[in-house]
Structure formats: structure tokens, C-alpha cells
Amino acid sequence: MMSLGIVLALNHMYDNWTVAGSMSAMYILAVAAVTPFYARLFDRFGQRRVGPVALGVQIVAMLAFALAALARVPSGAVRAGICMGLTQFSFGALVRTRWAYALRGSQHESLLNTAYALEAAIDEIVFIFGPILAAFLATSVHPVSQLFVPTLACGIGGAVFFSLKNTSRPCWSRLTSSPPKYRTRSRTPSPVSRLPHSRRPETMPHRRPPPKTTVSGCVVCTGPIPPSRAMY
């Protein structure tokens, strides 16, 4: 919603698709650059400590960009847009982390996949109706209103989300002095795996790679999955 809102707002205010497209591109590139950095901070210090501060900075940057676009200040809009992109973090990854912490090891652990599916469905609903709402606000209310509405929604929703303390996972510094090390599988092949498929025992199940046409068809039909939707 925000990337489309940037294009619609700047094109209307400056009557220039180049400025609008370049600003949206800089915003997306800035978000992609800082997402791993914010993920590291949330894992290291916890959502309760980093979340409110990051959310406050994000709201200020979004308001600064909206006001700069409303005032038709080109240089200020570009700078505010870059700063706004540098303050964005993935709420979806934080929500899925809380689902995993709240359900794993409990009597409702079997509902973890259901929770992930529900979260994915909600994300898709937002992705579908967000651009529609942005276009409606830009054409029917005000050309910059689609920038203020997500700012308000992000502030209210983020404040409620970070106020939930029972589902917040403890940070690494409280658990161990270093990040957890995950076990990796040995890459040494077994004697049976070295045999061709035709000579392997029939009782041994083996997996064959999917045809390239199947993988290519899935990518063409669904498109690449963004990192923010990956389930952890």
C-alpha cells in the first residue's frame, strides 16, 4: 500500500512519473537493505526493547515524508522517503516468531501450522485490499491521504502489538551469551546413496528431484515468494 501510495501521491503533486517511480524504487531498496539489520536487533535485544523505539522512528519518518509530499518540497521528499524506507521492518516476521514461541512446547503445538496459515491468509487479504484502498483514497479523498492512513494504522496496530508481553520471546542475551547454534546434517553420503537408483534396494524410499517444468510453472504462476512471507 505504501509503495503504490508513494507513486500516486508524487505523480499528482509533481506531475512527473519519473520522480514518483524513482522515489518508490528508493523506498523499496532501502527496506530490503535494512530488513536483516532489524531482524538481528529483534533477535538480540528482544521485541519489547527494540519494537517501541523502531516503531516511533518509523512513524516520524512516514509523517515527515507525507508532509513533505503535501508541501511539494522535492529535495525534502526524497530525503524523507529514503529515511522512511530505512525505518521499515517486517511485522509479519515478528508475528510468526510470536506464534512459534507461544505454541511450541505447549498442548496446542499442533496448531502452529494453522496459525501460520491464518497469518498468511491475513497477509494476502492486506496485499489485495491495500492497493485498492490506496487508489480510492488518492482519487476520492486527497492525493496524499493514502500516506496518512497507513501511518495511523501502523501506529495504532504497532502500539497494540508491542504491548502484548505474554507472547514476546526472550532475547538471546537473556538465554545465552551467544546466538543459538543449529545442528546441521552431515554431508557425508552413505554407501547406499552412492548407488544409482536402479541398483538401490526396493524397500529403501528415495526422493527424486521434481521436473524442471514443474518448478518453472510454479514460479511463473505464483511468482517468487517475498522474504517477508517466509515462515520461520
Side-chain angles (χ1 to χ4, degrees):
M1 181 176 182
M2 182 59 67
S3 58
L4 178 61
I6 292 173
V7 174
L8 296 176
L10 296 186
N11 177 65
H12 180 83
M13 304 305 289
Y14 303 118
D15 194 17
N16 192 328
W17 286 106
T18 303
V19 174
S22 61
M23 188 63 258
S24 180
M26 285 189 290
Y27 165 77
I28 294 174
L29 292 176
V31 173
V34 300
T35 296
F37 173 74
Y38 280 109
R40 180 71 177 183
L41 287 180
F42 281 115
D43 285 338
R44 189 66 180 175
F45 300 103
Q47 296 184 16
R48 293 177 56 184
R49 297 176 60 183
V50 180
V53 178
L55 180 65
V57 175
Q58 183 183 99
I59 297 301
V60 172
M62 293 171 71
L63 285 176
F65 175 77
L67 293 175
L70 185 62
R72 300 192 182 191
V73 183
S75 59
V78 172
R79 286 194 295 268
I82 296 175
C83 294
M84 180 179 63
L86 295 176
T87 59
Q88 302 294 314
F89 53 88
S90 176
F91 267 106
L94 301 181
V95 173
R96 282 180 278 273
T97 301
R98 293 202 176 202
W99 275 120
Y101 173 74
L103 296 180
R104 281 179 182 170
S106 65
Q107 59 181 354
H108 303 294
E109 186 175 2
S110 60
L111 298 177
L112 183 59
N113 290 334
T114 305
Y116 284 158
L118 175 63
E119 178 65 23
I122 295 175
D123 288 346
E124 292 298 331
I125 292 174
V126 174
F127 294 149
I128 292 173
F129 289 100
I132 298 175
L133 179 60
F136 171 77
L137 293 174
T139 56
S140 302
V141 181
H142 192 274
V144 191
S145 60
Q146 74 275 10
L147 299 180
F148 288 99
V149 171
T151 303
L152 180 63
C154 183
I156 297 176
V160 174
F161 176 78
F162 289 118
S163 65
L164 303 176
K165 301 179 180 180
N166 295 332
T167 58
S168 180
R169 184 180 66 86
C171 57
W172 285 344
S173 59
R174 295 183 181 181
L175 299 176
T176 58
S177 58
S178 60
K181 297 181 179 180
Y182 300 97
R183 216 181 285 178
T184 57
R185 293 183 179 180
S186 176
R187 296 186 177 179
T188 304
S190 62
V192 178
S193 63
R194 297 175 183 176
L195 297 175
H197 289 281
S198 60
R199 298 181 57 187
R200 293 186 184 182
E202 295 181 359
T203 57
M204 178 183 177
H206 57 270
R207 296 181 180 178
R208 298 197 177 194
K212 295 182 179 180
T213 54
T214 304
V215 178
S216 302
C218 293
V219 173
V220 170
C221 295
T222 61
I225 300 176
S228 59
R229 300 187 200 177
M231 296 183 181
Y232 300 97

Coordinates of all heavy atoms in Angstrom, one line a residue, residues 12 32 44 57 72 78 93 103 112 114 122 126 129 131 133 137 143 174 189 191-192 196:
H12 N 0.8 13.0 -8.6 CA -0.2 14.0 -8.6 C 0.4 15.4 -8.2 O 0.1 16.4 -8.7 CB -1.3 13.6 -7.7 CG -2.4 14.7 -7.6 ND1 -3.4 14.8 -8.5 CD2 -2.6 15.7 -6.7 CE1 -4.2 15.8 -8.2 NE2 -3.8 16.3 -7.1
A32 N 14.7 -3.3 1.7 CA 15.4 -4.5 1.5 C 16.7 -4.5 2.2 O 17.2 -5.5 2.7 CB 15.5 -4.8 0.1
R44 N 18.4 -10.2 19.0 CA 19.5 -9.9 20.0 C 19.0 -9.3 21.3 O 19.3 -9.7 22.4 CB 20.6 -9.1 19.4 CG 21.8 -9.0 20.3 CD 22.5 -10.3 20.4 NE 23.7 -10.2 21.2 CZ 24.4 -11.3 21.6 NH1 24.1 -12.5 21.2 NH2 25.5 -11.1 22.3
V57 N 10.3 5.8 15.5 CA 11.1 6.4 14.5 C 10.4 6.2 13.1 O 10.4 7.1 12.2 CB 12.5 5.7 14.5 CG1 13.4 6.2 13.3 CG2 13.2 6.0 15.8
R72 N 5.0 19.8 -1.4 CA 5.7 19.8 -2.7 C 7.1 20.3 -2.5 O 7.6 21.2 -3.3 CB 4.9 20.7 -3.6 CG 3.5 20.2 -3.9 CD 2.9 20.9 -5.1 NE 1.5 20.5 -5.2 CZ 0.8 20.8 -6.3 NH1 1.3 21.5 -7.3 NH2 -0.5 20.4 -6.4
V78 N 12.5 13.5 -1.2 CA 13.5 12.4 -1.5 C 14.2 12.0 -0.2 O 14.3 10.8 0.1 CB 14.5 12.9 -2.6 CG1 15.6 11.9 -2.7 CG2 13.7 13.1 -3.9
A93 N 7.2 -11.1 10.1 CA 8.2 -12.0 10.7 C 8.1 -12.0 12.2 O 8.3 -13.0 12.9 CB 9.6 -11.6 10.2
L103 N 3.3 -21.3 20.9 CA 2.7 -22.6 20.7 C 3.6 -23.8 20.8 O 3.2 -24.9 21.2 CB 2.0 -22.7 19.3 CG 0.8 -21.7 19.1 CD1 0.3 -21.9 17.7 CD2 -0.3 -22.0 20.1
L112 N 0.3 -25.0 15.3 CA 1.3 -24.0 14.8 C 1.1 -23.8 13.3 O 1.1 -22.7 12.8 CB 2.7 -24.5 15.1 CG 3.8 -23.5 14.7 CD1 3.7 -22.2 15.4 CD2 5.2 -24.1 15.1
T114 N -1.6 -24.2 11.6 CA -2.8 -23.5 11.4 C -2.6 -22.0 11.6 O -3.2 -21.2 10.9 CB -3.9 -24.0 12.3 OG1 -4.0 -25.5 12.1 CG2 -5.2 -23.4 12.1
I122 N -4.2 -13.7 6.2 CA -4.4 -12.2 6.6 C -3.4 -11.4 5.8 O -3.8 -10.3 5.3 CB -4.2 -12.0 8.1 CG1 -5.3 -12.8 8.9 CG2 -4.2 -10.5 8.4 CD1 -5.1 -12.7 10.4
V126 N -4.5 -8.3 3.1 CA -4.0 -6.9 3.2 C -3.3 -6.6 1.8 O -3.5 -5.5 1.3 CB -3.0 -6.8 4.3 CG1 -2.3 -5.5 4.3 CG2 -3.7 -7.0 5.7
F129 N -6.4 -5.9 -0.7 CA -7.2 -4.7 -0.5 C -6.4 -3.4 -0.2 O -7.0 -2.3 -0.2 CB -8.2 -5.0 0.7 CG -9.3 -6.0 0.3 CD1 -9.2 -7.3 0.7 CD2 -10.4 -5.6 -0.4 CE1 -10.1 -8.2 0.4 CE2 -11.4 -6.5 -0.7 CZ -11.2 -7.8 -0.3
P131 N -3.8 -1.9 -1.9 CA -3.7 -1.1 -3.1 C -5.0 -0.5 -3.5 O -5.1 0.6 -4.0 CB -3.1 -2.0 -4.2 CG -2.4 -3.1 -3.4 CD -3.1 -3.3 -2.2
L133 N -7.5 0.3 -1.5 CA -7.8 1.4 -0.6 C -6.9 2.6 -0.9 O -7.4 3.7 -0.8 CB -7.6 0.9 0.8 CG -7.8 1.9 1.9 CD1 -9.2 2.4 1.9 CD2 -7.4 1.3 3.3
L137 N -8.4 6.2 -1.9 CA -8.1 7.4 -1.1 C -7.5 8.5 -1.9 O -7.8 9.7 -1.8 CB -7.2 7.1 0.1 CG -7.8 6.2 1.2 CD1 -6.8 5.8 2.2 CD2 -9.0 6.9 1.9
P143 N -5.0 13.4 -2.7 CA -3.9 12.7 -3.3 C -2.8 12.2 -2.3 O -2.0 11.3 -2.6 CB -3.3 13.8 -4.2 CG -4.4 14.7 -4.5 CD -5.2 14.7 -3.3
R174 N 19.3 -12.9 27.3 CA 18.7 -13.5 28.5 C 18.9 -15.0 28.5 O 18.8 -15.6 29.6 CB 17.3 -13.1 28.6 CG 17.0 -11.6 28.8 CD 15.5 -11.3 29.0 NE 15.3 -9.9 29.1 CZ 14.1 -9.4 29.3 NH1 13.0 -10.2 29.4 NH2 13.9 -8.1 29.4
P189 N 28.0 -38.8 2.2 CA 27.0 -39.7 1.7 C 27.1 -41.1 2.2 O 28.3 -41.6 2.5 CB 27.3 -39.6 0.2 CG 28.7 -39.3 0.1 CD 29.0 -38.4 1.3
P191 N 26.8 -45.3 2.0 CA 27.2 -46.3 0.9 C 26.0 -46.5 -0.1 O 26.2 -46.7 -1.3 CB 27.6 -47.5 1.6 CG 28.1 -47.0 3.0 CD 27.2 -45.9 3.3
V192 N 24.8 -46.6 0.5 CA 23.6 -46.9 -0.3 C 23.3 -45.7 -1.3 O 22.9 -45.9 -2.4 CB 22.4 -47.3 0.5 CG1 21.2 -47.5 -0.3 CG2 22.7 -48.5 1.4
P196 N 23.4 -46.0 -8.0 CA 22.3 -45.4 -8.8 C 21.0 -45.9 -8.4 O 20.8 -46.9 -7.7 CB 22.7 -45.9 -10.2 CG 23.5 -47.2 -10.0 CD 24.3 -46.9 -8.7

